[in-house]
Amino acid sequence: MNAKKLYLGTMKFCLYKLLLGIATVLISAVLFAVIVGIFSLFGDGGTGIGLIVWLCATGIVRFFLMHYAGYMVKAGHIAILATAMTEGRIPENQFETAKTMVKERFLTSNVYFAIDKLVGGAVKQLQRMVGKVGNLFGAVPGVDVVVKAGQLFIDISLGYVDECCLGYTFVHKEQGAFKSAADGVVIYAQNWKPLLKSAAKTTLVVILAIVLVTAASFALIGGLFSLFNWNILAAFALAAMIAFAVKYAFIDSWILCKTMTVYMGLAQTTQITFDLYGKLCNLSAKFKELFDKGRAEPGAAPAYAAAGASYASPAPNTEPAAGSVFCGQCGGKNDRGTKFCASCGAKL
């Protein structure tokens, strides 16, 4: 199933996201009229303070709407997309099916938020590794600008991978949510090149779309505010919020569908034949925490996680095997004292 079919087939979620965005804008507009109107009674200085209070209040409203009301929409959309990619069809009664899947998988919203935070943090920490590569060339004039630009590009391009990793948990119900989420991050780490290549094709489109939507919104809102001689900064803030609502509903959903098709396609064919768990635990504290929580879940851990568990995050009071050592390249087990790996020939 391609991204276009996924996008059009799950348009209900896009419209629901748009409603959340519009609700945020409307509530913010009412808050603006009330808060700024009251503070303007105290003169120009009061108007400035009122704008600051309004921006803070708007931020709080947006956080609660998107965080608590929006999480079910976001998680449900991810669940339906991942299921559609795995089964080749979009489930009927999408909202009801998505709601059931999210509740069965995460039980409570707190579990979802915990996994979402750890997965997002792990992915971002791994993406930051490009910055360390840039530090090797710190003496070259202007290289820091190139590195920062490259990092921004990667952040935008792979900004939806963490949601794909969460999608992986919905199609692997045979193990705990933390375990599946950790596996999902490993799948990303092993396939970051094709994922980045695919995402890069849409990055410039995303940036251009955001700029155009913001400009169009500001032209409309700014013109309206000018007629009433209202604050132009408030007009820009509202325009930015409208642009965010459109981006959240349609642009983000489209990129998510594009990324999900590539990610789930790779996940279904990827065979993790070498250990990445230990390496990722060393590179990312968030991944290590996610991995440890997965090991603490009931049930057997995936077979390919055993090598990572043996040296990356050992259980309390457990010593590593005295007579063996694992290869850093392929994860093969070798006798201690061996200079070269018996499986791949790499130097130990």
Side-chain angles (χ1 to χ4, degrees):
M1 183 173 294
N2 58 35
K4 184 178 180 180
K5 289 183 179 179
L6 282 178
Y7 184 66
L8 295 177
T10 59
M11 183 59 65
K12 293 180 180 179
F13 286 94
C14 300
L15 296 176
Y16 206 111
K17 292 176 182 178
L18 181 63
L19 288 177
L20 283 175
I22 292 175
T24 303
V25 174
L26 292 177
I27 294 173
S28 297
V30 173
L31 289 175
F32 173 81
V34 174
I35 295 175
V36 177
I38 293 175
F39 276 87
S40 64
L41 298 176
F42 300 95
D44 293 338
T47 301
I49 297 175
L51 285 173
I52 296 175
V53 174
W54 170 67
L55 288 174
C56 293
T58 296
I60 294 173
V61 169
R62 178 181 172 276
F63 172 80
F64 277 98
L65 276 178
M66 296 300 177
H67 194 66
Y68 290 102
Y71 104 90
M72 181 62 77
V73 181
K74 174 184 174 182
H77 197 186
I78 292 172
I80 295 299
L81 292 177
T83 302
M85 281 300 302
T86 304
E87 299 180 357
R89 64 179 183 83
I90 298 176
E92 297 180 359
N93 301 320
Q94 294 180 31
F95 287 151
E96 293 77 8
T97 302
K99 184 178 180 180
T100 301
M101 291 177 67
V102 173
K103 287 187 174 182
E104 288 180 348
R105 195 61 177 125
F106 299 109
L107 300 180
T108 67
S109 61
N110 290 335
V111 176
Y112 171 81
F113 291 139
I115 295 179
D116 185 36
K117 183 178 180 180
L118 289 175
V119 170
V123 170
K124 287 180 174 61
Q125 286 177 342
L126 296 178
Q127 289 171 194
R128 289 289 183 269
M129 292 305 296
V130 72
K132 294 185 178 181
V133 176
N135 291 337
L136 298 176
F137 305 95
V140 180
V143 74
D144 57 332
V145 177
V146 177
V147 171
K148 289 180 180 179
Q151 185 63 64
L152 177 62
F153 178 80
I154 292 175
D155 286 346
I156 296 175
S157 300
L158 297 178
Y160 305 87
V161 170
D162 56 338
E163 297 178 349
C164 295
C165 294
L166 286 173
Y168 188 82
T169 68
F170 287 104
V171 296
H172 287 272
K173 300 177 182 179
E174 71 280 1
Q175 58 187 18
F178 284 96
K179 287 178 185 175
S180 294
D183 295 345
V185 176
V186 173
I187 293 291
Y188 151 66
Q190 190 167 345
N191 295 282
W192 70 269
K193 288 183 179 180
L195 282 168
L196 178 60
K197 181 180 179 180
S198 174
K201 296 178 181 179
T202 57
T203 298
L204 295 178
V205 176
V206 171
I207 296 175
L208 180 61
I210 293 173
V211 171
L212 290 177
V213 171
T214 303
S217 300
F218 181 65
L220 179 62
I221 301 298
L224 181 62
F225 271 49
S226 296
L227 292 176
F228 296 95
N229 293 321
W230 290 348
N231 192 289
I232 197 65
L233 292 177
F236 181 78
L238 283 175
M241 292 175 61
I242 293 175
F244 171 82
V246 174
K247 172 183 175 295
Y248 172 68
F250 300 109
I251 300 176
D252 285 357
S253 296
W254 167 247
I255 304 304
L256 175 60
C257 291
K258 291 276 290 184
T259 309
M260 186 70 79
T261 55
V262 178
Y263 178 91
M264 292 304 298
L266 292 169
Q268 292 178 36
T269 58
T270 295
Q271 295 293 327
I272 303 179
T273 56
F274 56 91
D275 177 57
L276 277 177
Y277 291 84
K279 293 179 181 178
L280 296 187
C281 283
N282 293 329
L283 291 173
S284 169
K286 292 294 185 182
F287 179 81
K288 184 178 184 302
E289 184 178 353
L290 181 68
F291 183 74
D292 287 341
K293 287 183 179 295
R295 291 184 63 205
E297 287 179 318
Y304 49 77
S310 66
Y311 72 87
S313 186
N317 302 320
T318 300
E319 296 293 334
S324 62
V325 63
F326 291 96
C327 173
Q329 294 295 321
C330 69
K333 186 177 181 180
N334 297 271
D335 293 333
R336 187 171 297 281
T338 304
K339 293 183 178 181
F340 297 94
C341 177
S343 299
C344 67
K347 187 176 180 179
L348 300 175

